[in-house]
Structures are given as structure tokens and as C-alpha cells.
Amino acid sequence: MISLSKILKVDNSLGHGLSDIFPREMFWDIDMDNLSLEKDSDFIIQRVLSRSMHNSEYLGKLEKLYSIKKIREIALQSSEIRGNEDIEFIAERYQLKPEQFKKYISNLSLYA
């Protein structure tokens, strides 16, 4: 079971709640401090990956909360991660192939 307080004892740079870790704008439509790190892990990972805006700091924080394996699994299952540029950024960071992502458009230059 993941405990935010356990993680925070190890790394005080994360803050005291999810709203201290990620910007509220990333979770604009919900009360992010009511999320469970364990029960809502798929949602949290997917949301951060789809709205990280190429910010390695957010991904670094996500990696302190969840394993790389878990992040990779959710990334490949997600329909929320869109845009070849965003997908390529995430794929490179997690040693994945962009073509593995659901919303990656191969040969996008053909459509330009």
C-alpha cells in the first residue's frame, strides 16, 4: 500500500498533499487532495503524463510516487496521452516506442 506520509518522510521536497506535489491546474476538475495514491494511481499517472507539458520535474515527482514499471504500463494503456510530440517525449523518457501508444499517429508528416 502506498502511503503519501511514508513517501514524504523519505523526501520532504514533495510537500504534504497531492496539491503540494503537482499544480492544481493539472487536476482542475477534481479535489486532488481527496485522491488515493493507491486506489487512484491509474488516474493520477495518466493525468500527469497527459498534462506534464514536457516538464521533467513533474515526471520526476511521479517517479517518486510510483514505479517506472507501473508508469510505463499506464502510459501504454492510456487513451488520454495524445499528440505525437507529447507521446515521443514520454516514450523517450521511459524507453518505449511511440508506436506502442494508442494515440500515436505514424507517418503524420504524410498528412501535413
Side-chain angles (χ1 to χ4, degrees):
M1 179 175 201
I2 298 172
S3 164
L4 185 57
S5 59
K6 182 185 257 187
I7 291 169
L8 298 175
K9 287 179 186 173
V10 175
D11 187 350
N12 291 329
S13 68
L14 288 180
H16 295 95
L18 202 57
S19 61
D20 294 322
I21 301 171
F22 301 110
R24 289 196 181 274
E25 295 80 18
M26 194 175 280
F27 294 88
W28 63 272
D29 55 340
I30 59 165
D31 182 353
M32 61 195 293
D33 289 325
N34 285 332
L35 292 173
S36 163
L37 289 177
E38 186 171 322
K39 292 177 186 174
D40 300 314
S41 62
D42 292 4
F43 175 77
I44 294 168
I45 292 169
Q46 185 171 237
R47 180 62 66 100
V48 172
L49 291 177
S50 67
R51 293 187 169 84
S52 67
M53 300 166 283
H54 301 217
N55 188 324
S56 295
E57 178 185 349
Y58 300 147
L59 299 180
K61 290 178 179 182
L62 188 67
E63 293 161 7
K64 289 179 181 179
L65 296 173
Y66 303 103
S67 71
I68 299 295
K69 180 182 177 187
K70 173 86 171 168
I71 294 169
R72 292 175 80 194
E73 288 173 6
I74 300 304
L76 293 177
Q77 295 171 10
S78 177
S79 295
E80 297 299 315
I81 303 170
R82 298 183 176 115
N84 281 6
E85 189 176 324
D86 291 341
I87 290 171
E88 289 165 358
F89 176 78
I90 293 167
E92 182 176 334
R93 181 163 183 125
Y94 296 108
Q95 296 84 42
L96 298 167
K97 294 178 182 177
E99 296 81 14
Q100 293 176 282
F101 287 74
K102 289 184 175 187
K103 296 292 182 170
Y104 186 75
I105 301 172
S106 297
N107 302 318
L108 184 60
S109 61
L110 296 175
Y111 302 105

